[in-house]
Amino acid sequence: MLEQPFQNKDLVLKVSSNYDPKRFDPNKYEAFLDALCGDREYQKEAIRATLRYFLGGEYKSLKELADENYNQNPKLQEKYSSFEDFLAHLQLPDKLSCSLDHATATGKSYVMYGIARIMLADGAIDQVLVLCPSNTIEEGLTEKFRSLSADRTLKDLLPTDSKVANPRIINASNTIQKGDICIENIHATYSNTKSAIEDSLVGKGERTLVLNDEAHHLMSPSSNTALKKWKEFLLDPKYGFKFIVNVSGTCYIGNDYFTDVIHRFSLRDSIEKKFIKSIRYVAEDSSGSEGEKFQKIYDNHIENKTVKYRKVKPITILVTKNIAACKRLTDKLIDFLAKKENISKEQAAKKVLIVTSASEHKDNIPILRSVDDKDNPIEWITSVSMLSEGWDVKNVFQIVPHEERAFNSKLLIAQVLGRGLRVPEVYKGNQPVVTVFNHDKWSKKIKHLVDEVLELEKRVYSYPVMKKEDYNFDLYNIDYKRNEEEVEYPQKDPYELLKNGYINYSSQAEKVEKNTIYARAVSGEQDIKKTLIELKMYSIEEVAHDVFNRLFIYDQEAGTSYREQFPKDKIAEIIKTSLERISDKTGKLSEANRNQTLAAFSVIRRKGAKSLRLSIEDKELIKISTRKIGKNSLGVGSLRRYSTVFYDDYSLSLGEAADRKLLKELEEDESLPKSALIKVENKYNFKTPLNLVLVSYEPERRFILGLTDKQTAKEIDAWIKSLDVGFYSIEYSWRKGEHPKQGSFNPDFFIKKGNDIVVVEIKMDNDVSDENRAKLRYAREHFAKVNELQQEQKYYFKFLSPGSFDLFFEALRNGAYKDFKSELERKLEE
């Protein structure tokens, strides 16, 4: 699989610029927006887009907006195989719901306030409910909204006929009245919590705007039971909410971008505009022990404090995966500071603030408000990865993700980075840098995630171009209407049970010494303790008896006579012979070898394999041109790890200018491994309609080297490497254990040789599985149908692995490809 072929900006839903002026006139709010947002045009654009979506008369639900975008956006069609697939990924499709993706420290609260104020002024709603995941955020939003509502200029710039000119800012301890903006922690919505939300809003959802702050908690609540109720509240029919806006600076569910974003202002946008700090993080580090890393982190901190940012009091934040880890890290940090600065532990502890959701740390959260003050002694903050919202600490200049799990998804990366991006007032106009001191052992794993969050990674694109030789060709596929049916494939041959007269056992012992490593929680000291473990053993007689009883029961159920074929003494003799082969004279079997014995005798009970198959009810031939294949891409960073670009002289002269320029830069990059770029020196041997070809693993690379070999190239007309999704798909089904599974796959290569099309699926050697057997069976049936339904082309499907490449290319050159069968394909037929 290639890394993220879609940029987030390509997945943003566009709201139509059309609006019905009889329903809504956005122009009369422009003066208000200018005063509210100043020169931050992205805030105005977000507010305008949301209002057109809600009030312009073009949409009744998110589903309608999604449908319009799916039909107009090829990227969405490429990512989701059908509109139904896209629809299944929408969180609230039947509501007028949407998300706004605005990076931390870019003024999300202004956007929320602007939408609320205009919706109230226009009379589209009677009240606003703002929900957030914590008391800290609730307090911050309340303070901000009250400050804005107190601004007389904003009130005066609203139209004179506004239905609500100056809303009251309250929380749910008050009854929510017409014209109110109620800001509440999500926990106040729950039925067992005493608040005014239920009494005030039941039956009034159509006239209520709901603004969800830090909405990634709503979309991806993880294991937090309380947050899972957030979505349930929004969907509760007793309220009937209609207008819903989700706001977040981290619009990810793990690594997946939200599907309903209508406006975004990304971290990269914010960095380029210098609204937030720039970011640097560790790419390589020679530190060994934790103590060494603490020293480097401390050195960065002192440099920030005494040299780089001495106008303020710099803060370093250390992030852990959970509360227990955070407490341990805090203890270690205090110990380190005490020794490094030659102070007492009590004095060092005053410099460190631990912030978690644990009740014992509850009183620490309000301290965050004053941690930037120079007379506040705190210089170090330890916290848990998911507690990033609601902090308004501007003096953070170093962030330390202490464990990989605190920094291993786009959501976590965006959250962790968000903590240190605000710029202190004294450095406004400049662009300070926040350093992320991550562990170098996993820096390669997270680098592409960081790059994609920041949209910093360049991408190489593959797509059709018009070459003089024109290597494009047509393919035929079938549009199936299918029914599922279960089919039993009988055994071809009876099983030859234990024909060797022994069973393959593993070495065994009655007692074994095992090591356990213990670590001291505070000091980190380790010790190893050895324990002699007694293992459960079974006598030969016991195991022979168990096997015989199983055969006896099976004979009674199936009418067979295996117990006559294998009496107890014969079973015992087989077991004894098997033990002798591993030089074991104990006359006993370990648990593993007992299970191996039972498994060896269980083969007699196997029936013919069952599988689901899709029967064709109706069919229609479809012609597909290689000219229509979609774009494929990979991040430049992946070229340093495992991916390859195949190209020729055409690649440097055809295609988009930016892609040609990037390819030239890659050619000149001496730091790339040799495998990253492979140029086909003679363009006449690169018989593909694509500008270049991207591969992401070794077997594909070897196969293309074979295709572009001059001896092979002169014997074929053209070839194309297919996409993973969306170009030529074949459906199949199989049974995984007791569970039916369905899927589809795109064969890797199509090779044109005269009127013959050789279709190739590549796997690793010995990749023999029920799923691959199903792929082979369905592909053969599919191409047999294609051959029946048309006479222009003849299709030959081949399952290949690297061990058979040389033989295949020889067959391709000498014409024996039609009957060629690889070793892997033979095994899949068994």
PDB file of all heavy atoms in Angstrom, residues 579-607:
ATOM      1  N   LEU A 579       8.834 -39.627  19.592  1.00  0.00           N
ATOM      2  CA  LEU A 579       9.696 -39.163  20.682  1.00  0.00           C
ATOM      3  C   LEU A 579      11.145 -39.573  20.443  1.00  0.00           C
ATOM      4  O   LEU A 579      12.086 -38.817  20.736  1.00  0.00           O
ATOM      5  CB  LEU A 579       9.202 -39.718  22.021  1.00  0.00           C
ATOM      6  CG  LEU A 579       7.916 -39.095  22.587  1.00  0.00           C
ATOM      7  CD1 LEU A 579       7.446 -39.872  23.803  1.00  0.00           C
ATOM      8  CD2 LEU A 579       8.139 -37.626  22.944  1.00  0.00           C
ATOM      9  N   GLU A 580      11.353 -40.787  19.912  1.00  0.00           N
ATOM     10  CA  GLU A 580      12.712 -41.242  19.638  1.00  0.00           C
ATOM     11  C   GLU A 580      13.407 -40.339  18.623  1.00  0.00           C
ATOM     12  O   GLU A 580      14.622 -40.132  18.691  1.00  0.00           O
ATOM     13  CB  GLU A 580      12.688 -42.688  19.125  1.00  0.00           C
ATOM     14  CG  GLU A 580      12.324 -43.705  20.197  1.00  0.00           C
ATOM     15  CD  GLU A 580      12.112 -45.094  19.640  1.00  0.00           C
ATOM     16  OE1 GLU A 580      12.141 -45.247  18.384  1.00  0.00           O
ATOM     17  OE2 GLU A 580      11.914 -46.038  20.440  1.00  0.00           O
ATOM     18  N   ARG A 581      12.649 -39.783  17.702  1.00  0.00           N
ATOM     19  CA  ARG A 581      13.232 -38.913  16.664  1.00  0.00           C
ATOM     20  C   ARG A 581      13.775 -37.613  17.258  1.00  0.00           C
ATOM     21  O   ARG A 581      14.571 -36.928  16.614  1.00  0.00           O
ATOM     22  CB  ARG A 581      12.194 -38.616  15.579  1.00  0.00           C
ATOM     23  CG  ARG A 581      11.899 -39.824  14.697  1.00  0.00           C
ATOM     24  CD  ARG A 581      10.894 -39.448  13.599  1.00  0.00           C
ATOM     25  NE  ARG A 581      11.360 -38.346  12.767  1.00  0.00           N
ATOM     26  CZ  ARG A 581      12.210 -38.460  11.748  1.00  0.00           C
ATOM     27  NH1 ARG A 581      12.709 -39.663  11.429  1.00  0.00           N
ATOM     28  NH2 ARG A 581      12.556 -37.409  11.036  1.00  0.00           N
ATOM     29  N   ILE A 582      13.302 -37.230  18.468  1.00  0.00           N
ATOM     30  CA  ILE A 582      13.854 -36.034  19.111  1.00  0.00           C
ATOM     31  C   ILE A 582      14.710 -36.422  20.320  1.00  0.00           C
ATOM     32  O   ILE A 582      14.968 -35.606  21.207  1.00  0.00           O
ATOM     33  CB  ILE A 582      12.745 -35.042  19.535  1.00  0.00           C
ATOM     34  CG1 ILE A 582      11.763 -35.693  20.526  1.00  0.00           C
ATOM     35  CG2 ILE A 582      12.017 -34.473  18.331  1.00  0.00           C
ATOM     36  CD1 ILE A 582      10.805 -34.694  21.164  1.00  0.00           C
ATOM     37  N   SER A 583      15.129 -37.708  20.329  1.00  0.00           N
ATOM     38  CA  SER A 583      16.026 -38.237  21.377  1.00  0.00           C
ATOM     39  C   SER A 583      15.445 -38.054  22.769  1.00  0.00           C
ATOM     40  O   SER A 583      16.157 -37.704  23.720  1.00  0.00           O
ATOM     41  CB  SER A 583      17.404 -37.554  21.275  1.00  0.00           C
ATOM     42  OG  SER A 583      17.967 -37.752  20.006  1.00  0.00           O
ATOM     43  N   ASP A 584      14.134 -38.293  22.907  1.00  0.00           N
ATOM     44  CA  ASP A 584      13.471 -38.149  24.196  1.00  0.00           C
ATOM     45  C   ASP A 584      13.063 -39.533  24.704  1.00  0.00           C
ATOM     46  O   ASP A 584      12.324 -40.265  24.037  1.00  0.00           O
ATOM     47  CB  ASP A 584      12.239 -37.248  24.054  1.00  0.00           C
ATOM     48  CG  ASP A 584      11.646 -36.860  25.400  1.00  0.00           C
ATOM     49  OD1 ASP A 584      11.114 -37.748  26.101  1.00  0.00           O
ATOM     50  OD2 ASP A 584      11.700 -35.664  25.747  1.00  0.00           O
ATOM     51  N   LYS A 585      13.564 -39.884  25.909  1.00  0.00           N
ATOM     52  CA  LYS A 585      13.294 -41.207  26.469  1.00  0.00           C
ATOM     53  C   LYS A 585      12.410 -41.140  27.708  1.00  0.00           C
ATOM     54  O   LYS A 585      12.326 -42.098  28.482  1.00  0.00           O
ATOM     55  CB  LYS A 585      14.614 -41.895  26.803  1.00  0.00           C
ATOM     56  CG  LYS A 585      15.519 -42.108  25.599  1.00  0.00           C
ATOM     57  CD  LYS A 585      16.842 -42.741  25.991  1.00  0.00           C
ATOM     58  CE  LYS A 585      17.734 -42.921  24.765  1.00  0.00           C
ATOM     59  NZ  LYS A 585      19.056 -43.514  25.134  1.00  0.00           N
ATOM     60  N   THR A 586      11.734 -40.021  27.914  1.00  0.00           N
ATOM     61  CA  THR A 586      10.928 -39.861  29.136  1.00  0.00           C
ATOM     62  C   THR A 586       9.625 -40.641  29.079  1.00  0.00           C
ATOM     63  O   THR A 586       9.031 -40.941  30.118  1.00  0.00           O
ATOM     64  CB  THR A 586      10.593 -38.370  29.354  1.00  0.00           C
ATOM     65  OG1 THR A 586       9.796 -37.897  28.248  1.00  0.00           O
ATOM     66  CG2 THR A 586      11.841 -37.524  29.470  1.00  0.00           C
ATOM     67  N   GLY A 587       9.154 -40.948  27.894  1.00  0.00           N
ATOM     68  CA  GLY A 587       7.846 -41.595  27.778  1.00  0.00           C
ATOM     69  C   GLY A 587       6.700 -40.637  28.059  1.00  0.00           C
ATOM     70  O   GLY A 587       5.572 -41.069  28.311  1.00  0.00           O
ATOM     71  N   LYS A 588       6.976 -39.330  27.996  1.00  0.00           N
ATOM     72  CA  LYS A 588       5.955 -38.309  28.260  1.00  0.00           C
ATOM     73  C   LYS A 588       5.966 -37.252  27.155  1.00  0.00           C
ATOM     74  O   LYS A 588       6.969 -37.069  26.473  1.00  0.00           O
ATOM     75  CB  LYS A 588       6.211 -37.644  29.609  1.00  0.00           C
ATOM     76  CG  LYS A 588       6.108 -38.588  30.795  1.00  0.00           C
ATOM     77  CD  LYS A 588       6.419 -37.856  32.103  1.00  0.00           C
ATOM     78  CE  LYS A 588       6.361 -38.821  33.292  1.00  0.00           C
ATOM     79  NZ  LYS A 588       6.683 -38.118  34.559  1.00  0.00           N
ATOM     80  N   LEU A 589       4.825 -36.557  27.050  1.00  0.00           N
ATOM     81  CA  LEU A 589       4.689 -35.517  26.033  1.00  0.00           C
ATOM     82  C   LEU A 589       4.378 -34.169  26.700  1.00  0.00           C
ATOM     83  O   LEU A 589       3.588 -34.102  27.655  1.00  0.00           O
ATOM     84  CB  LEU A 589       3.550 -35.840  25.052  1.00  0.00           C
ATOM     85  CG  LEU A 589       3.834 -36.867  23.959  1.00  0.00           C
ATOM     86  CD1 LEU A 589       3.782 -38.276  24.553  1.00  0.00           C
ATOM     87  CD2 LEU A 589       2.815 -36.734  22.824  1.00  0.00           C
ATOM     88  N   SER A 590       4.971 -33.139  26.181  1.00  0.00           N
ATOM     89  CA  SER A 590       4.636 -31.788  26.639  1.00  0.00           C
ATOM     90  C   SER A 590       3.269 -31.394  26.100  1.00  0.00           C
ATOM     91  O   SER A 590       2.701 -32.073  25.227  1.00  0.00           O
ATOM     92  CB  SER A 590       5.682 -30.787  26.138  1.00  0.00           C
ATOM     93  OG  SER A 590       5.619 -30.680  24.726  1.00  0.00           O
ATOM     94  N   GLU A 591       2.745 -30.296  26.616  1.00  0.00           N
ATOM     95  CA  GLU A 591       1.443 -29.790  26.141  1.00  0.00           C
ATOM     96  C   GLU A 591       1.481 -29.541  24.632  1.00  0.00           C
ATOM     97  O   GLU A 591       0.561 -29.895  23.900  1.00  0.00           O
ATOM     98  CB  GLU A 591       1.114 -28.489  26.875  1.00  0.00           C
ATOM     99  CG  GLU A 591      -0.273 -27.944  26.580  1.00  0.00           C
ATOM    100  CD  GLU A 591      -1.346 -28.541  27.483  1.00  0.00           C
ATOM    101  OE1 GLU A 591      -1.111 -28.666  28.693  1.00  0.00           O
ATOM    102  OE2 GLU A 591      -2.410 -28.898  26.955  1.00  0.00           O
ATOM    103  N   ALA A 592       2.584 -28.949  24.157  1.00  0.00           N
ATOM    104  CA  ALA A 592       2.689 -28.626  22.728  1.00  0.00           C
ATOM    105  C   ALA A 592       2.702 -29.889  21.880  1.00  0.00           C
ATOM    106  O   ALA A 592       2.028 -29.962  20.840  1.00  0.00           O
ATOM    107  CB  ALA A 592       3.955 -27.805  22.472  1.00  0.00           C
ATOM    108  N   ASN A 593       3.447 -30.912  22.317  1.00  0.00           N
ATOM    109  CA  ASN A 593       3.526 -32.142  21.524  1.00  0.00           C
ATOM    110  C   ASN A 593       2.248 -32.965  21.625  1.00  0.00           C
ATOM    111  O   ASN A 593       1.890 -33.672  20.670  1.00  0.00           O
ATOM    112  CB  ASN A 593       4.744 -32.961  21.939  1.00  0.00           C
ATOM    113  CG  ASN A 593       6.039 -32.339  21.432  1.00  0.00           C
ATOM    114  OD1 ASN A 593       6.036 -31.632  20.427  1.00  0.00           O
ATOM    115  ND2 ASN A 593       7.143 -32.596  22.123  1.00  0.00           N
ATOM    116  N   ARG A 594       1.561 -32.899  22.760  1.00  0.00           N
ATOM    117  CA  ARG A 594       0.245 -33.545  22.852  1.00  0.00           C
ATOM    118  C   ARG A 594      -0.712 -32.917  21.831  1.00  0.00           C
ATOM    119  O   ARG A 594      -1.418 -33.627  21.098  1.00  0.00           O
ATOM    120  CB  ARG A 594      -0.324 -33.392  24.263  1.00  0.00           C
ATOM    121  CG  ARG A 594      -1.767 -33.897  24.389  1.00  0.00           C
ATOM    122  CD  ARG A 594      -2.306 -33.661  25.795  1.00  0.00           C
ATOM    123  NE  ARG A 594      -3.673 -34.139  25.930  1.00  0.00           N
ATOM    124  CZ  ARG A 594      -4.763 -33.382  25.697  1.00  0.00           C
ATOM    125  NH1 ARG A 594      -4.618 -32.114  25.319  1.00  0.00           N
ATOM    126  NH2 ARG A 594      -5.967 -33.892  25.856  1.00  0.00           N
ATOM    127  N   ASN A 595      -0.723 -31.571  21.777  1.00  0.00           N
ATOM    128  CA  ASN A 595      -1.601 -30.878  20.821  1.00  0.00           C
ATOM    129  C   ASN A 595      -1.224 -31.207  19.383  1.00  0.00           C
ATOM    130  O   ASN A 595      -2.093 -31.332  18.516  1.00  0.00           O
ATOM    131  CB  ASN A 595      -1.540 -29.366  21.049  1.00  0.00           C
ATOM    132  CG  ASN A 595      -2.173 -28.961  22.366  1.00  0.00           C
ATOM    133  OD1 ASN A 595      -2.983 -29.694  22.927  1.00  0.00           O
ATOM    134  ND2 ASN A 595      -1.804 -27.790  22.869  1.00  0.00           N
ATOM    135  N   GLN A 596       0.087 -31.352  19.129  1.00  0.00           N
ATOM    136  CA  GLN A 596       0.546 -31.711  17.789  1.00  0.00           C
ATOM    137  C   GLN A 596       0.041 -33.108  17.404  1.00  0.00           C
ATOM    138  O   GLN A 596      -0.337 -33.359  16.261  1.00  0.00           O
ATOM    139  CB  GLN A 596       2.078 -31.656  17.738  1.00  0.00           C
ATOM    140  CG  GLN A 596       2.686 -31.993  16.393  1.00  0.00           C
ATOM    141  CD  GLN A 596       2.418 -30.932  15.349  1.00  0.00           C
ATOM    142  OE1 GLN A 596       1.879 -29.867  15.653  1.00  0.00           O
ATOM    143  NE2 GLN A 596       2.742 -31.230  14.104  1.00  0.00           N
ATOM    144  N   THR A 597       0.000 -34.012  18.393  1.00  0.00           N
ATOM    145  CA  THR A 597      -0.497 -35.380  18.139  1.00  0.00           C
ATOM    146  C   THR A 597      -1.990 -35.351  17.802  1.00  0.00           C
ATOM    147  O   THR A 597      -2.438 -35.979  16.833  1.00  0.00           O
ATOM    148  CB  THR A 597      -0.265 -36.266  19.377  1.00  0.00           C
ATOM    149  OG1 THR A 597       1.122 -36.213  19.731  1.00  0.00           O
ATOM    150  CG2 THR A 597      -0.675 -37.704  19.106  1.00  0.00           C
ATOM    151  N   LEU A 598      -2.771 -34.635  18.608  1.00  0.00           N
ATOM    152  CA  LEU A 598      -4.207 -34.534  18.344  1.00  0.00           C
ATOM    153  C   LEU A 598      -4.470 -33.903  16.982  1.00  0.00           C
ATOM    154  O   LEU A 598      -5.375 -34.315  16.248  1.00  0.00           O
ATOM    155  CB  LEU A 598      -4.884 -33.711  19.449  1.00  0.00           C
ATOM    156  CG  LEU A 598      -4.827 -34.312  20.864  1.00  0.00           C
ATOM    157  CD1 LEU A 598      -5.449 -33.341  21.869  1.00  0.00           C
ATOM    158  CD2 LEU A 598      -5.546 -35.652  20.905  1.00  0.00           C
ATOM    159  N   ALA A 599      -3.655 -32.897  16.636  1.00  0.00           N
ATOM    160  CA  ALA A 599      -3.827 -32.232  15.343  1.00  0.00           C
ATOM    161  C   ALA A 599      -3.506 -33.175  14.191  1.00  0.00           C
ATOM    162  O   ALA A 599      -4.174 -33.173  13.154  1.00  0.00           O
ATOM    163  CB  ALA A 599      -2.939 -30.980  15.274  1.00  0.00           C
ATOM    164  N   ALA A 600      -2.471 -34.013  14.372  1.00  0.00           N
ATOM    165  CA  ALA A 600      -2.077 -34.937  13.309  1.00  0.00           C
ATOM    166  C   ALA A 600      -3.188 -35.933  13.002  1.00  0.00           C
ATOM    167  O   ALA A 600      -3.433 -36.286  11.847  1.00  0.00           O
ATOM    168  CB  ALA A 600      -0.802 -35.680  13.722  1.00  0.00           C
ATOM    169  N   PHE A 601      -3.889 -36.394  14.046  1.00  0.00           N
ATOM    170  CA  PHE A 601      -4.970 -37.349  13.828  1.00  0.00           C
ATOM    171  C   PHE A 601      -6.284 -36.672  13.430  1.00  0.00           C
ATOM    172  O   PHE A 601      -7.208 -37.337  12.974  1.00  0.00           O
ATOM    173  CB  PHE A 601      -5.180 -38.213  15.077  1.00  0.00           C
ATOM    174  CG  PHE A 601      -4.210 -39.339  15.198  1.00  0.00           C
ATOM    175  CD1 PHE A 601      -2.996 -39.161  15.857  1.00  0.00           C
ATOM    176  CD2 PHE A 601      -4.481 -40.571  14.636  1.00  0.00           C
ATOM    177  CE1 PHE A 601      -2.081 -40.189  15.972  1.00  0.00           C
ATOM    178  CE2 PHE A 601      -3.579 -41.616  14.743  1.00  0.00           C
ATOM    179  CZ  PHE A 601      -2.353 -41.428  15.411  1.00  0.00           C
ATOM    180  N   SER A 602      -6.370 -35.358  13.594  1.00  0.00           N
ATOM    181  CA  SER A 602      -7.628 -34.675  13.280  1.00  0.00           C
ATOM    182  C   SER A 602      -7.838 -34.504  11.783  1.00  0.00           C
ATOM    183  O   SER A 602      -8.935 -34.166  11.345  1.00  0.00           O
ATOM    184  CB  SER A 602      -7.678 -33.302  13.952  1.00  0.00           C
ATOM    185  OG  SER A 602      -6.753 -32.403  13.356  1.00  0.00           O
ATOM    186  N   VAL A 603      -6.800 -34.747  10.960  1.00  0.00           N
ATOM    187  CA  VAL A 603      -6.961 -34.547   9.519  1.00  0.00           C
ATOM    188  C   VAL A 603      -7.991 -35.485   8.927  1.00  0.00           C
ATOM    189  O   VAL A 603      -8.579 -35.202   7.883  1.00  0.00           O
ATOM    190  CB  VAL A 603      -5.619 -34.725   8.765  1.00  0.00           C
ATOM    191  CG1 VAL A 603      -4.626 -33.677   9.192  1.00  0.00           C
ATOM    192  CG2 VAL A 603      -5.061 -36.127   8.960  1.00  0.00           C
ATOM    193  N   ILE A 604      -8.245 -36.606   9.602  1.00  0.00           N
ATOM    194  CA  ILE A 604      -9.212 -37.556   9.052  1.00  0.00           C
ATOM    195  C   ILE A 604     -10.618 -36.984   9.048  1.00  0.00           C
ATOM    196  O   ILE A 604     -11.495 -37.465   8.342  1.00  0.00           O
ATOM    197  CB  ILE A 604      -9.197 -38.880   9.839  1.00  0.00           C
ATOM    198  CG1 ILE A 604      -9.583 -38.617  11.294  1.00  0.00           C
ATOM    199  CG2 ILE A 604      -7.848 -39.547   9.753  1.00  0.00           C
ATOM    200  CD1 ILE A 604      -9.716 -39.880  12.117  1.00  0.00           C
ATOM    201  N   ARG A 605     -10.855 -35.960   9.846  1.00  0.00           N
ATOM    202  CA  ARG A 605     -12.214 -35.425   9.970  1.00  0.00           C
ATOM    203  C   ARG A 605     -12.473 -34.264   9.032  1.00  0.00           C
ATOM    204  O   ARG A 605     -13.520 -33.651   9.045  1.00  0.00           O
ATOM    205  CB  ARG A 605     -12.443 -34.995  11.416  1.00  0.00           C
ATOM    206  CG  ARG A 605     -12.366 -36.173  12.385  1.00  0.00           C
ATOM    207  CD  ARG A 605     -12.175 -35.721  13.810  1.00  0.00           C
ATOM    208  NE  ARG A 605     -13.223 -34.812  14.244  1.00  0.00           N
ATOM    209  CZ  ARG A 605     -13.187 -34.118  15.383  1.00  0.00           C
ATOM    210  NH1 ARG A 605     -12.153 -34.238  16.182  1.00  0.00           N
ATOM    211  NH2 ARG A 605     -14.171 -33.316  15.717  1.00  0.00           N
ATOM    212  N   ARG A 606     -11.455 -33.886   8.241  1.00  0.00           N
ATOM    213  CA  ARG A 606     -11.648 -32.758   7.344  1.00  0.00           C
ATOM    214  C   ARG A 606     -12.613 -33.097   6.231  1.00  0.00           C
ATOM    215  O   ARG A 606     -12.563 -34.162   5.645  1.00  0.00           O
ATOM    216  CB  ARG A 606     -10.318 -32.333   6.725  1.00  0.00           C
ATOM    217  CG  ARG A 606      -9.333 -31.785   7.738  1.00  0.00           C
ATOM    218  CD  ARG A 606      -8.050 -31.407   7.035  1.00  0.00           C
ATOM    219  NE  ARG A 606      -7.018 -31.070   7.995  1.00  0.00           N
ATOM    220  CZ  ARG A 606      -5.740 -30.936   7.676  1.00  0.00           C
ATOM    221  NH1 ARG A 606      -5.342 -31.127   6.435  1.00  0.00           N
ATOM    222  NH2 ARG A 606      -4.859 -30.613   8.597  1.00  0.00           N
ATOM    223  N   LYS A 607     -13.458 -32.162   5.941  1.00  0.00           N
ATOM    224  CA  LYS A 607     -14.366 -32.312   4.813  1.00  0.00           C
ATOM    225  C   LYS A 607     -13.829 -31.492   3.657  1.00  0.00           C
ATOM    226  O   LYS A 607     -12.840 -30.780   3.776  1.00  0.00           O
ATOM    227  CB  LYS A 607     -15.765 -31.836   5.194  1.00  0.00           C
ATOM    228  CG  LYS A 607     -16.408 -32.654   6.304  1.00  0.00           C
ATOM    229  CD  LYS A 607     -17.791 -32.134   6.608  1.00  0.00           C
ATOM    230  CE  LYS A 607     -18.469 -32.955   7.713  1.00  0.00           C
ATOM    231  NZ  LYS A 607     -19.814 -32.438   8.027  1.00  0.00           N
TER     232      LYS A 607
END
